[in-house]
PDB file of all heavy atoms in Angstrom:
ATOM      1  N   THR Q  23      94.944  78.324  87.330  1.00 93.00           N
ATOM      2  CA  THR Q  23      96.135  77.520  87.621  1.00 93.00           C
ATOM      3  C   THR Q  23      97.329  78.420  87.928  1.00 93.00           C
ATOM      4  O   THR Q  23      98.045  78.199  88.906  1.00 93.00           O
ATOM      5  CB  THR Q  23      96.456  76.580  86.442  1.00 93.00           C
ATOM      6  OG1 THR Q  23      95.339  75.719  86.231  1.00 93.00           O
ATOM      7  CG2 THR Q  23      97.704  75.756  86.711  1.00 93.00           C
ATOM      8  N   VAL Q  24      97.522  79.438  87.123  1.00 92.00           N
ATOM      9  CA  VAL Q  24      98.624  80.385  87.362  1.00 92.00           C
ATOM     10  C   VAL Q  24      98.439  81.080  88.710  1.00 92.00           C
ATOM     11  O   VAL Q  24      99.394  81.223  89.482  1.00 92.00           O
ATOM     12  CB  VAL Q  24      98.734  81.404  86.206  1.00 92.00           C
ATOM     13  CG1 VAL Q  24      99.673  82.545  86.565  1.00 92.00           C
ATOM     14  CG2 VAL Q  24      99.174  80.724  84.929  1.00 92.00           C
ATOM     15  N   LEU Q  25      97.223  81.494  89.004  1.00 92.00           N
ATOM     16  CA  LEU Q  25      96.936  82.155  90.275  1.00 92.00           C
ATOM     17  C   LEU Q  25      97.290  81.252  91.456  1.00 92.00           C
ATOM     18  O   LEU Q  25      97.951  81.682  92.406  1.00 92.00           O
ATOM     19  CB  LEU Q  25      95.457  82.550  90.326  1.00 92.00           C
ATOM     20  CG  LEU Q  25      94.999  83.247  91.600  1.00 92.00           C
ATOM     21  CD1 LEU Q  25      95.602  84.636  91.681  1.00 92.00           C
ATOM     22  CD2 LEU Q  25      93.478  83.332  91.608  1.00 92.00           C
ATOM     23  N   PHE Q  26      96.879  79.994  91.416  1.00 90.00           N
ATOM     24  CA  PHE Q  26      97.174  79.068  92.505  1.00 90.00           C
ATOM     25  C   PHE Q  26      98.657  78.739  92.590  1.00 90.00           C
ATOM     26  O   PHE Q  26      99.192  78.547  93.686  1.00 90.00           O
ATOM     27  CB  PHE Q  26      96.329  77.796  92.385  1.00 90.00           C
ATOM     28  CG  PHE Q  26      94.922  77.993  92.837  1.00 90.00           C
ATOM     29  CD1 PHE Q  26      93.882  77.957  91.929  1.00 90.00           C
ATOM     30  CD2 PHE Q  26      94.627  78.236  94.168  1.00 90.00           C
ATOM     31  CE1 PHE Q  26      92.570  78.151  92.330  1.00 90.00           C
ATOM     32  CE2 PHE Q  26      93.326  78.436  94.591  1.00 90.00           C
ATOM     33  CZ  PHE Q  26      92.291  78.388  93.671  1.00 90.00           C
ATOM     34  N   LEU Q  27      99.356  78.680  91.465  1.00 90.00           N
ATOM     35  CA  LEU Q  27     100.805  78.441  91.489  1.00 90.00           C
ATOM     36  C   LEU Q  27     101.533  79.601  92.158  1.00 90.00           C
ATOM     37  O   LEU Q  27     102.453  79.393  92.964  1.00 90.00           O
ATOM     38  CB  LEU Q  27     101.340  78.209  90.074  1.00 90.00           C
ATOM     39  CG  LEU Q  27     101.005  76.855  89.452  1.00 90.00           C
ATOM     40  CD1 LEU Q  27     101.454  76.824  87.984  1.00 90.00           C
ATOM     41  CD2 LEU Q  27     101.649  75.722  90.242  1.00 90.00           C
ATOM     42  N   VAL Q  28     101.146  80.827  91.847  1.00 88.00           N
ATOM     43  CA  VAL Q  28     101.755  81.999  92.475  1.00 88.00           C
ATOM     44  C   VAL Q  28     101.465  81.986  93.967  1.00 88.00           C
ATOM     45  O   VAL Q  28     102.363  82.216  94.790  1.00 88.00           O
ATOM     46  CB  VAL Q  28     101.253  83.300  91.811  1.00 88.00           C
ATOM     47  CG1 VAL Q  28     101.655  84.524  92.614  1.00 88.00           C
ATOM     48  CG2 VAL Q  28     101.779  83.402  90.387  1.00 88.00           C
ATOM     49  N   PHE Q  29     100.222  81.731  94.348  1.00 81.00           N
ATOM     50  CA  PHE Q  29      99.862  81.664  95.762  1.00 81.00           C
ATOM     51  C   PHE Q  29     100.655  80.566  96.473  1.00 81.00           C
ATOM     52  O   PHE Q  29     101.172  80.764  97.569  1.00 81.00           O
ATOM     53  CB  PHE Q  29      98.357  81.415  95.907  1.00 81.00           C
ATOM     54  CG  PHE Q  29      97.913  81.277  97.325  1.00 81.00           C
ATOM     55  CD1 PHE Q  29      97.770  82.389  98.139  1.00 81.00           C
ATOM     56  CD2 PHE Q  29      97.652  80.025  97.863  1.00 81.00           C
ATOM     57  CE1 PHE Q  29      97.383  82.270  99.458  1.00 81.00           C
ATOM     58  CE2 PHE Q  29      97.249  79.886  99.176  1.00 81.00           C
ATOM     59  CZ  PHE Q  29      97.113  81.012  99.978  1.00 81.00           C
ATOM     60  N   GLY Q  30     100.788  79.412  95.852  1.00 84.00           N
ATOM     61  CA  GLY Q  30     101.544  78.306  96.438  1.00 84.00           C
ATOM     62  C   GLY Q  30     103.012  78.656  96.609  1.00 84.00           C
ATOM     63  O   GLY Q  30     103.621  78.361  97.642  1.00 84.00           O
ATOM     64  N   PHE Q  31     103.609  79.308  95.616  1.00 77.00           N
ATOM     65  CA  PHE Q  31     105.007  79.744  95.699  1.00 77.00           C
ATOM     66  C   PHE Q  31     105.205  80.698  96.868  1.00 77.00           C
ATOM     67  O   PHE Q  31     106.146  80.543  97.648  1.00 77.00           O
ATOM     68  CB  PHE Q  31     105.425  80.417  94.386  1.00 77.00           C
ATOM     69  CG  PHE Q  31     106.800  81.012  94.423  1.00 77.00           C
ATOM     70  CD1 PHE Q  31     107.920  80.205  94.296  1.00 77.00           C
ATOM     71  CD2 PHE Q  31     106.972  82.378  94.584  1.00 77.00           C
ATOM     72  CE1 PHE Q  31     109.192  80.754  94.341  1.00 77.00           C
ATOM     73  CE2 PHE Q  31     108.238  82.937  94.629  1.00 77.00           C
ATOM     74  CZ  PHE Q  31     109.354  82.123  94.509  1.00 77.00           C
ATOM     75  N   ARG Q  32     104.300  81.671  97.006  1.00 71.00           N
ATOM     76  CA  ARG Q  32     104.429  82.642  98.108  1.00 71.00           C
ATOM     77  C   ARG Q  32     104.253  81.960  99.464  1.00 71.00           C
ATOM     78  O   ARG Q  32     104.930  82.305 100.428  1.00 71.00           O
ATOM     79  CB  ARG Q  32     103.425  83.763  97.916  1.00 71.00           C
ATOM     80  CG  ARG Q  32     103.762  84.640  96.712  1.00 71.00           C
ATOM     81  CD  ARG Q  32     102.862  85.815  96.669  1.00 71.00           C
ATOM     82  NE  ARG Q  32     102.997  86.530  97.927  1.00 71.00           N
ATOM     83  CZ  ARG Q  32     103.204  87.816  98.032  1.00 71.00           C
ATOM     84  NH1 ARG Q  32     103.284  88.543  96.963  1.00 71.00           N
ATOM     85  NH2 ARG Q  32     103.305  88.391  99.211  1.00 71.00           N
ATOM     86  N   THR Q  33     103.370  80.992  99.544  1.00 74.00           N
ATOM     87  CA  THR Q  33     103.159  80.272 100.800  1.00 74.00           C
ATOM     88  C   THR Q  33     104.398  79.467 101.177  1.00 74.00           C
ATOM     89  O   THR Q  33     104.842  79.499 102.326  1.00 74.00           O
ATOM     90  CB  THR Q  33     101.936  79.338 100.683  1.00 74.00           C
ATOM     91  OG1 THR Q  33     100.793  80.134 100.362  1.00 74.00           O
ATOM     92  CG2 THR Q  33     101.692  78.570 101.968  1.00 74.00           C
ATOM     93  N   VAL Q  34     104.979  78.763 100.219  1.00 73.00           N
ATOM     94  CA  VAL Q  34     106.204  77.999 100.472  1.00 73.00           C
ATOM     95  C   VAL Q  34     107.329  78.941 100.899  1.00 73.00           C
ATOM     96  O   VAL Q  34     108.062  78.664 101.853  1.00 73.00           O
ATOM     97  CB  VAL Q  34     106.609  77.181  99.221  1.00 73.00           C
ATOM     98  CG1 VAL Q  34     108.017  76.629  99.349  1.00 73.00           C
ATOM     99  CG2 VAL Q  34     105.617  76.063  98.987  1.00 73.00           C
ATOM    100  N   GLN Q  35     107.446  80.064 100.224  1.00 68.00           N
ATOM    101  CA  GLN Q  35     108.503  81.017 100.573  1.00 68.00           C
ATOM    102  C   GLN Q  35     108.337  81.512 102.007  1.00 68.00           C
ATOM    103  O   GLN Q  35     109.301  81.607 102.764  1.00 68.00           O
ATOM    104  CB  GLN Q  35     108.505  82.207  99.616  1.00 68.00           C
ATOM    105  CG  GLN Q  35     109.597  83.195  99.960  1.00 68.00           C
ATOM    106  CD  GLN Q  35     109.609  84.414  99.066  1.00 68.00           C
ATOM    107  OE1 GLN Q  35     108.966  84.434  98.039  1.00 68.00           O
ATOM    108  NE2 GLN Q  35     110.347  85.407  99.466  1.00 68.00           N
ATOM    109  N   ARG Q  36     107.109  81.835 102.406  1.00 67.00           N
ATOM    110  CA  ARG Q  36     106.867  82.307 103.772  1.00 67.00           C
ATOM    111  C   ARG Q  36     107.261  81.263 104.808  1.00 67.00           C
ATOM    112  O   ARG Q  36     107.748  81.605 105.872  1.00 67.00           O
ATOM    113  CB  ARG Q  36     105.406  82.683 103.944  1.00 67.00           C
ATOM    114  CG  ARG Q  36     105.179  84.141 103.704  1.00 67.00           C
ATOM    115  CD  ARG Q  36     103.776  84.550 104.074  1.00 67.00           C
ATOM    116  NE  ARG Q  36     103.170  84.985 102.829  1.00 67.00           N
ATOM    117  CZ  ARG Q  36     102.017  84.601 102.365  1.00 67.00           C
ATOM    118  NH1 ARG Q  36     101.286  83.760 103.032  1.00 67.00           N
ATOM    119  NH2 ARG Q  36     101.571  85.037 101.224  1.00 67.00           N
ATOM    120  N   HIS Q  37     107.047  80.000 104.509  1.00 70.00           N
ATOM    121  CA  HIS Q  37     107.370  78.941 105.462  1.00 70.00           C
ATOM    122  C   HIS Q  37     108.866  78.646 105.517  1.00 70.00           C
ATOM    123  O   HIS Q  37     109.358  78.149 106.525  1.00 70.00           O
ATOM    124  CB  HIS Q  37     106.588  77.672 105.139  1.00 70.00           C
ATOM    125  CG  HIS Q  37     105.148  77.772 105.498  1.00 70.00           C
ATOM    126  ND1 HIS Q  37     104.693  77.767 106.785  1.00 70.00           N
ATOM    127  CD2 HIS Q  37     104.051  77.907 104.717  1.00 70.00           C
ATOM    128  CE1 HIS Q  37     103.387  77.893 106.799  1.00 70.00           C
ATOM    129  NE2 HIS Q  37     102.969  77.983 105.553  1.00 70.00           N
ATOM    130  N   LEU Q  38     109.588  78.931 104.454  1.00 71.00           N
ATOM    131  CA  LEU Q  38     111.017  78.633 104.407  1.00 71.00           C
ATOM    132  C   LEU Q  38     111.905  79.795 104.843  1.00 71.00           C
ATOM    133  O   LEU Q  38     113.100  79.612 105.028  1.00 71.00           O
ATOM    134  CB  LEU Q  38     111.418  78.205 102.988  1.00 71.00           C
ATOM    135  CG  LEU Q  38     110.813  76.910 102.472  1.00 71.00           C
ATOM    136  CD1 LEU Q  38     111.263  76.657 101.042  1.00 71.00           C
ATOM    137  CD2 LEU Q  38     111.176  75.740 103.369  1.00 71.00           C
ATOM    138  N   VAL Q  39     111.341  80.983 104.999  1.00 76.00           N
ATOM    139  CA  VAL Q  39     112.153  82.165 105.282  1.00 76.00           C
ATOM    140  C   VAL Q  39     112.806  82.078 106.667  1.00 76.00           C
ATOM    141  O   VAL Q  39     112.193  81.626 107.635  1.00 76.00           O
ATOM    142  CB  VAL Q  39     111.327  83.460 105.136  1.00 76.00           C
ATOM    143  CG1 VAL Q  39     110.330  83.622 106.262  1.00 76.00           C
ATOM    144  CG2 VAL Q  39     112.229  84.669 105.049  1.00 76.00           C
ATOM    145  N   GLN Q  40     114.064  82.456 106.706  1.00 82.00           N
ATOM    146  CA  GLN Q  40     114.804  82.585 107.957  1.00 82.00           C
ATOM    147  C   GLN Q  40     115.279  84.020 108.043  1.00 82.00           C
ATOM    148  O   GLN Q  40     115.839  84.554 107.086  1.00 82.00           O
ATOM    149  CB  GLN Q  40     115.983  81.624 107.991  1.00 82.00           C
ATOM    150  CG  GLN Q  40     115.582  80.171 108.026  1.00 82.00           C
ATOM    151  CD  GLN Q  40     116.791  79.249 108.089  1.00 82.00           C
ATOM    152  OE1 GLN Q  40     117.923  79.670 107.960  1.00 82.00           O
ATOM    153  NE2 GLN Q  40     116.526  77.979 108.284  1.00 82.00           N
TER     154      GLN Q  40
END
Side-chain angles (χ1 to χ4, degrees):
T23 300
V24 169
L25 180 69
F26 283 112
L27 286 173
V28 169
F29 178 77
F31 175 78
R32 291 187 57 130
T33 301
V34 168
Q35 180 182 347
R36 266 188 244 130
H37 286 288
L38 295 178
V39 72
Q40 294 181 352

